[in-house]
Amino acid sequence: MADAASITSSKSTAPPVVSCQKVTRQYTRGSDSVFSRQSQPTVTALDSVSVDIHPGEFVGIAGPSGSGKSTLLHLLAGLDTPTTGQITLSGTDTTGLSEQRRAQLRLDHVGIVFQHFYLLPSISARANVALPLVEHGVGKRTRRKQATALLEQVGLADRIGHKPGELSGGEQQRVAIARALVTDPDVVIADEPTGELDTATGEQIIAVLSESADDRAVIVASHDEQVLEQTDRVIRLRDGQVVHDG
Ligand code: ADP
Ligand code: MG
């Protein structure tokens, strides 16, 4: 008996898919650095950041170079751990989790897209997209079927057998997005996904990511205001702190 109003409210009150509470991340400079004695021994890349992201949200992370965007995304993706504070991913508090448990959590719940695509050059687009399913123990026939469906979804039905080197930059990034989506993750995290692409191609990539934020969260870091205009919500960082969220 769900009417439109209750659907809307259930979406906004759904538990966050990723949450960080008072998260600080400091990097320690190498102790062998010739500068380490006279300069500060640590860099505070994130300073007490609290953010909740819900299913269905398409969120932009903004801020100048060095403001902490990549650090925040790596933490939200479970690729890194905070110095202090708490990160919850798909309902699991990641504090104190072993590297192995964090890797499993990522595999089960997170899709990641990078600026430089990171596709394997020697195998086809379809084989690249199917790779995460190998780790999930999915059989070959199902892997091929699901990878094909995802490549169709991102508009690459006619590029399935091509190797990355035979594809344009925009096409390679769409393969990377299909690979991130193939495990049906709760959250997709993309760090400067249009950084290598021209404006028109970048817009297509953002459109593909936006469409994928149907029932999952999609988080995109970018310093491109045109990209950020496409998102539902922008979290703006400066010197590791949230200066705007909305
Ligand atoms: P952005 O993605 O917004 O450009 P980053 O998260 O990469 O910002 O960096 C935030 C700050 O942390 C910067 O001052 C950067 O130099 C520093 N930083 C990032 N990664 C490391 C690292 N591995 N070791 C030391 N400092 C780092
Ligand atoms: Mg960055």
Short mmCIF file of all heavy atoms in Angstrom, two decimals, residues 4-17 52-57:
data_model
loop_
_atom_site.label_atom_id
_atom_site.label_comp_id
_atom_site.label_asym_id
_atom_site.label_seq_id
_atom_site.Cartn_x
_atom_site.Cartn_y
_atom_site.Cartn_z
N ALA A 4 2.64 7.55 -3.49
CA ALA A 4 3.83 8.30 -3.90
C ALA A 4 4.53 8.96 -2.71
O ALA A 4 5.74 8.94 -2.60
CB ALA A 4 3.43 9.37 -4.92
N ALA A 5 3.72 9.51 -1.79
CA ALA A 5 4.31 10.23 -0.66
C ALA A 5 5.13 9.29 0.23
O ALA A 5 6.24 9.64 0.65
CB ALA A 5 3.21 10.89 0.17
N SER A 6 4.59 8.09 0.47
CA SER A 6 5.32 7.20 1.36
C SER A 6 6.58 6.65 0.70
O SER A 6 7.57 6.39 1.35
CB SER A 6 4.43 6.05 1.86
OG SER A 6 4.13 5.18 0.82
N ILE A 7 6.54 6.50 -0.64
CA ILE A 7 7.75 6.07 -1.34
C ILE A 7 8.84 7.13 -1.17
O ILE A 7 9.96 6.84 -0.82
CB ILE A 7 7.47 5.83 -2.85
CG1 ILE A 7 6.60 4.58 -3.00
CG2 ILE A 7 8.76 5.67 -3.63
CD1 ILE A 7 6.04 4.37 -4.38
N THR A 8 8.44 8.41 -1.39
CA THR A 8 9.41 9.49 -1.26
C THR A 8 10.01 9.52 0.15
O THR A 8 11.21 9.58 0.31
CB THR A 8 8.74 10.86 -1.54
OG1 THR A 8 8.06 10.73 -2.76
CG2 THR A 8 9.76 11.96 -1.62
N SER A 9 9.12 9.41 1.16
CA SER A 9 9.65 9.52 2.51
C SER A 9 10.46 8.30 2.89
O SER A 9 11.46 8.41 3.59
CB SER A 9 8.52 9.75 3.51
OG SER A 9 7.76 8.57 3.66
N SER A 10 10.10 7.11 2.36
CA SER A 10 10.88 5.93 2.73
C SER A 10 12.27 6.02 2.12
O SER A 10 13.25 5.58 2.70
CB SER A 10 10.20 4.64 2.27
OG SER A 10 10.33 4.46 0.89
N LYS A 11 12.39 6.69 0.92
CA LYS A 11 13.70 6.86 0.31
C LYS A 11 14.58 7.77 1.18
O LYS A 11 15.72 7.48 1.47
CB LYS A 11 13.54 7.47 -1.08
CG LYS A 11 14.83 7.57 -1.85
CD LYS A 11 14.53 8.04 -3.26
CE LYS A 11 15.80 8.52 -3.93
NZ LYS A 11 15.52 8.97 -5.28
N SER A 12 13.97 8.89 1.65
CA SER A 12 14.78 9.83 2.40
C SER A 12 15.11 9.32 3.80
O SER A 12 16.09 9.74 4.39
CB SER A 12 14.08 11.19 2.48
OG SER A 12 12.82 11.02 3.09
N THR A 13 14.30 8.40 4.33
CA THR A 13 14.60 7.89 5.67
C THR A 13 15.33 6.55 5.63
O THR A 13 15.62 5.98 6.67
CB THR A 13 13.32 7.73 6.51
OG1 THR A 13 12.43 6.88 5.78
CG2 THR A 13 12.64 9.06 6.77
N ALA A 14 15.59 6.04 4.42
CA ALA A 14 16.34 4.78 4.32
C ALA A 14 17.71 4.97 4.96
O ALA A 14 18.26 6.07 4.92
CB ALA A 14 16.50 4.40 2.84
N PRO A 15 18.27 3.90 5.55
CA PRO A 15 19.59 4.08 6.16
C PRO A 15 20.63 4.43 5.10
O PRO A 15 20.49 4.03 3.94
CB PRO A 15 19.88 2.70 6.77
CG PRO A 15 18.91 1.77 6.17
CD PRO A 15 17.75 2.56 5.68
N PRO A 16 21.64 5.22 5.48
CA PRO A 16 22.64 5.60 4.49
C PRO A 16 23.40 4.37 3.97
O PRO A 16 23.58 3.40 4.71
CB PRO A 16 23.58 6.53 5.26
CG PRO A 16 23.28 6.35 6.69
CD PRO A 16 21.89 5.81 6.80
N VAL A 17 23.79 4.43 2.70
CA VAL A 17 24.57 3.34 2.14
C VAL A 17 26.04 3.50 2.51
O VAL A 17 26.75 2.52 2.74
CB VAL A 17 24.33 3.21 0.61
CG1 VAL A 17 24.72 4.46 -0.13
CG2 VAL A 17 25.06 2.02 0.04
N ASP A 52 26.56 11.61 5.22
CA ASP A 52 25.72 10.42 5.01
C ASP A 52 25.25 10.43 3.56
O ASP A 52 24.76 11.45 3.08
CB ASP A 52 24.46 10.49 5.89
CG ASP A 52 24.73 10.08 7.32
OD1 ASP A 52 25.81 9.52 7.59
OD2 ASP A 52 23.85 10.34 8.17
N ILE A 53 25.35 9.30 2.88
CA ILE A 53 24.87 9.21 1.50
C ILE A 53 23.88 8.07 1.38
O ILE A 53 24.14 6.95 1.84
CB ILE A 53 26.06 9.09 0.53
CG1 ILE A 53 26.84 10.42 0.56
CG2 ILE A 53 25.57 8.77 -0.89
CD1 ILE A 53 28.18 10.38 -0.06
N HIS A 54 22.71 8.39 0.78
CA HIS A 54 21.59 7.44 0.77
C HIS A 54 21.42 6.78 -0.60
O HIS A 54 21.87 7.33 -1.61
CB HIS A 54 20.30 8.18 1.17
CG HIS A 54 20.32 8.65 2.59
ND1 HIS A 54 20.85 9.86 2.95
CD2 HIS A 54 19.92 8.04 3.73
CE1 HIS A 54 20.76 9.99 4.28
NE2 HIS A 54 20.19 8.91 4.77
N PRO A 55 20.74 5.63 -0.63
CA PRO A 55 20.46 4.96 -1.91
C PRO A 55 19.73 5.92 -2.85
O PRO A 55 18.86 6.69 -2.43
CB PRO A 55 19.55 3.80 -1.53
CG PRO A 55 19.79 3.56 -0.08
CD PRO A 55 20.18 4.88 0.51
N GLY A 56 20.10 5.90 -4.13
CA GLY A 56 19.43 6.73 -5.13
C GLY A 56 20.04 8.11 -5.29
O GLY A 56 19.69 8.82 -6.22
N GLU A 57 20.94 8.50 -4.40
CA GLU A 57 21.54 9.83 -4.51
C GLU A 57 22.68 9.83 -5.54
O GLU A 57 23.49 8.90 -5.57
CB GLU A 57 22.12 10.27 -3.16
CG GLU A 57 21.09 10.84 -2.21
CD GLU A 57 21.75 11.59 -1.05
OE1 GLU A 57 22.52 10.96 -0.30
OE2 GLU A 57 21.47 12.79 -0.89
#
